[in-house]
Amino acid sequence: MTSLRRTAAAAGVLFLITHVTSIAARLLYVPALGNPEYITGSGPESLVVLAAFLDVLLVVAIVGTGVALYPVVRRQNEGIALGYVALRTLEGAVITAGVVSLLTLVTLRQDLPQAGPETLALGSALVAFNNWTFLVGPSFICGTNTLLLAYLLYRSGLVPRFIAVLGLVGGPLVFASGAAQMFGLYGQVSVWAAVAALPVFAWEVCLAVYLIARGFRSPAVAALDAARTPGDRVPA
């Protein structure tokens, strides 16, 4: 397997990891996110802690996709490629902030001696903070970096055009959906939010599978190499 082929496979695997970890973590967070009195309840916190760990893996995979793809897509447009890496890193940072809020919730649940209105308010505030990070990260920032990467892949032809088009549609759509949720048109957990997220979900899955199975398209790689100086070519 060539260096470029390994790069494509690594990026594809990292995209799949982001889906597995993000979905699993959100499901495991249900006891904390769905119960306003979770901070004063009893029982183990293992599910929430496991979800937080999965989100840490998610952040690593998110940043990893940007790092893995940058050496290739920068041949199309280095400025946009750098913006993609920066936004993937920012997305990971926002998700990390949300993880810390729920780990803080777990710690307070263990340490607070008794329940009271102030305790419930604090628990609700930490959950609300996590919900807002989930909106800003996977909606606004993810929507923007999806558009940037899809544009680079569309212009370069490194993957089939239909995959890039999914990203060109999905990125702005999930961004617009985030704006609709922010202004109260519908909730984060709603049919409309799920429908708006489908194109970007399909984009990442299709991209991941293609990169793992086929890698970058050889004619596109050759064209990018031809447009660069010999010392700045995509490694084989």
Side-chain angles (χ1 to χ4, degrees), residues 1-7 72 75 216 221 225 233-236:
M1 184 181 288
T2 66
S3 174
L4 190 60
R5 185 72 181 81
R6 286 193 295 269
T7 297
V72 181
R75 267 67 180 187
F216 300 110
V221 173
D225 273 348
R233 290 182 176 178
V234 179

Side-chain angles (χ1 to χ4, degrees), residues 5 10 24 32 89-90 102 112 118 132 185 236:
R5 185 72 181 81
T89 304
L90 179 59
L102 290 187
L112 288 176
E118 298 84 1
W132 280 113
L185 298 183

Side-chain angles (χ1 to χ4, degrees), residues 21-22 25 29 50-60 95 99:
T21 53
S22 61
Y29 278 139
L50 176 58
F53 177 73
L54 290 175
D55 264 347
V56 171
L57 297 181
L58 166 64
V59 170
V60 172
I95 293 173
V99 172

Side-chain angles (χ1 to χ4, degrees), residues 2 15 20 39 66 69 84-85 107 122 137 158 175 180 226 235:
T2 66
F15 270 115
V20 172
I39 193 172
L69 291 173
Y84 174 71
V85 176
T107 300
L122 179 58
L158 288 166
F175 187 100

Side-chain angles (χ1 to χ4, degrees), residues 22-38:
S22 61
I23 293 172
R26 213 61 193 172
L27 292 175
L28 292 173
Y29 278 139
V30 168
L33 299 178
N35 180 9
E37 299 182 357
Y38 175 80

Side-chain angles (χ1 to χ4, degrees), residues 84-167:
Y84 174 71
V85 176
L87 284 171
R88 286 301 264 180
T89 304
L90 179 59
E91 182 183 353
V94 171
I95 293 173
T96 300
V99 172
V100 172
S101 72
L102 290 187
L103 288 177
T104 303
L105 180 67
V106 168
T107 300
L108 292 175
R109 189 173 187 255
Q110 296 169 340
D111 295 344
L112 288 176
Q114 60 184 4
E118 298 84 1
T119 303
L120 293 175
L122 179 58
S124 297
L126 290 171
V127 170
F129 183 89
N130 179 269
N131 287 334
W132 280 113
T133 60
F134 186 74
L135 179 64
V136 172
S139 293
F140 293 127
I141 302 176
C142 180
T144 305
N145 64 50
T146 293
L147 180 62
L148 295 185
L149 179 59
Y151 171 79
L152 291 171
L153 295 179
Y154 183 86
R155 291 296 305 271
S156 65
L158 288 166
V159 299
R161 290 293 175 90
F162 83 90
I163 296 179
V165 169
L166 280 174

